[in-house]
Amino acid sequence: MKTIKQIRIGWVCLLALTGLSGCATKVYQLTPVSGEVAQIEGRPTTKAETDGIAVVASFERLDMQYVALDIEVKNGTDRPFDVNPADFEYTALDDEQKTLFVTNNASQKPLMFSAADPVREADRTSVNQEREVKRLKTAKIINTVLMVAAIASDVATSSNRSNQRPERWVQNRVTHDNIYAAIQAKRIIDHGMFADRMQRYDYETYRWKELSMKPTTLQPGESVRGLVYLPMSRDARHMLVNFPVTAQESVMITFQQEWVKQKHKRRK
């Protein structure tokens, strides 16, 4: 018969399972709070313009350690204009949109972040992929050496079975079986880590080469669109995004960053 304690635990587990879909979880949100904000394709989108260069921006998603912004740059001038997504940067602001500072060597500097350079990141990902292939080859060599050593030791100890006490032979057998199992486990781990890392690097390659905005030169009347990846700062409550147009002028857009509790719908 179940005890009172067991029954209580059962009820707690049942209530937890039935109410799981109603629990609140925090969802990342980034909302534009400056410029001409409008709902486009179901997302808050803002537009700002300086010296004939217009920037249309909205929040796409949180992508690993990056905040991905869907940005379109339009050249409304009468001259060519160079666009490089790595030129985007932002200053971290607090709740009152005041600059956050970081202390460095007894001095304070604004907390600022630069966008990822897709060309450089794609090259870095390619290097990481090559490194993983070399690492797996090295692991295979090490595993082979370990297996040869284990077999040699196993043969040496098993060949002298007639001169060993039964308990000694059993101990050797157990030891070598454990060694074989450990080597096999290491092989599985090596291949698993290789597959996981290569899958991530394949996605990163796709991200930098296919999704991100490409450096380009816009002729008058042309535009370019793509994702710009900015490192996420949990300290920021607002992000003052800056895109230089000239040496003195920039397009500036402010986003509000927050984690919002979102309740899941209860299942009927």
Side-chain angles (χ1 to χ4, degrees):
M1 180 177 292
K2 293 184 178 179
T3 65
I4 298 297
K5 183 177 181 180
Q6 288 174 324
I7 294 174
R8 287 177 178 175
I9 293 175
W11 274 110
V12 170
C13 292
L14 180 60
L15 291 173
L17 289 172
T18 56
L20 186 60
S21 58
C23 295
T25 57
K26 289 189 176 182
V27 178
Y28 180 83
Q29 287 188 356
L30 192 69
T31 309
V33 292
S34 69
E36 305 172 14
V37 180
Q39 290 287 332
I40 299 179
E41 298 178 355
R43 293 183 299 181
T45 304
T46 187
K47 177 182 178 181
E49 183 174 342
T50 300
D51 288 346
I53 302 299
V55 175
V56 179
S58 64
F59 171 61
E60 177 70 18
R61 63 176 171 271
L62 190 61
D63 193 334
M64 298 183 184
Q65 74 272 33
Y66 293 105
V67 174
L69 299 182
D70 183 356
I71 291 181
E72 182 178 9
V73 180
K74 301 179 179 180
N75 183 8
T77 70
D78 57 358
R79 63 187 183 279
F81 180 74
D82 293 331
V83 177
N84 188 341
D87 291 338
F88 281 88
E89 62 181 15
Y90 76 89
T91 303
L93 309 178
D94 61 14
D95 289 322
E96 299 178 352
Q97 297 190 27
K98 294 182 180 179
T99 303
L100 294 175
F101 290 88
V102 59
T103 302
N104 187 13
N105 296 329
S107 63
Q108 286 191 329
K109 295 182 179 180
L111 185 58
M112 301 180 67
F113 300 87
S114 297
D117 184 336
V119 176
R120 182 181 302 174
E121 293 299 329
D123 291 340
R124 182 180 302 174
T125 301
S126 179
V127 171
N128 288 337
Q129 288 176 317
E130 294 176 359
R131 183 183 298 119
E132 284 304 317
V133 172
K134 292 180 180 178
R135 181 179 290 138
L136 182 62
K137 290 180 179 179
T138 301
K140 288 181 178 179
I141 294 174
I142 293 174
N143 292 338
T144 300
V145 172
L146 291 175
M147 181 59 72
V148 170
I151 292 174
S153 174
D154 193 2
V155 171
T157 55
S158 298
S159 61
N160 296 325
R161 179 178 180 179
S162 58
N163 298 327
Q164 297 180 24
R165 291 179 298 176
E167 60 271 18
R168 178 64 177 174
W169 182 88
V170 171
Q171 182 59 44
N172 286 334
R173 183 75 269 130
V174 171
T175 299
H176 285 89
D177 286 345
N178 290 337
I179 292 175
Y180 293 138
I183 294 175
Q184 181 61 23
K186 183 178 180 302
R187 282 177 171 170
I188 295 174
I189 292 173
D190 291 338
H191 283 82
M193 291 179 61
F194 174 79
D196 290 342
R197 289 174 177 173
M198 291 300 287
Q199 184 177 22
R200 173 175 175 174
Y201 293 145
D202 286 342
Y203 168 71
E204 290 184 1
T205 299
Y206 174 73
R207 175 173 64 185
W208 301 126
K209 292 187 176 181
E210 303 297 334
L211 301 179
S212 63
M213 179 184 291
K214 304 298 184 294
T216 186
T217 299
L218 296 179
Q219 298 302 320
E222 291 184 344
S223 65
V224 63
R225 182 179 178 181
L227 297 183
V228 173
Y229 294 89
L230 294 160
M232 190 195 71
S233 169
R234 289 187 174 271
D235 296 326
R237 294 297 175 265
H238 292 83
M239 297 168 54
L240 179 59
V241 179
N242 173 77
F243 179 63
V245 173
T246 65
Q248 295 79 26
E249 300 292 334
S250 298
V251 177
M252 306 185 77
I253 296 173
T254 303
F255 286 85
Q256 181 180 5
Q257 176 178 268
E258 56 186 343
W259 292 88
V260 179
K261 289 184 178 180
Q262 184 179 42
K263 287 188 176 181
H264 295 287
K265 294 182 180 179
R266 293 182 180 273
R267 295 179 179 177
K268 295 182 179 180

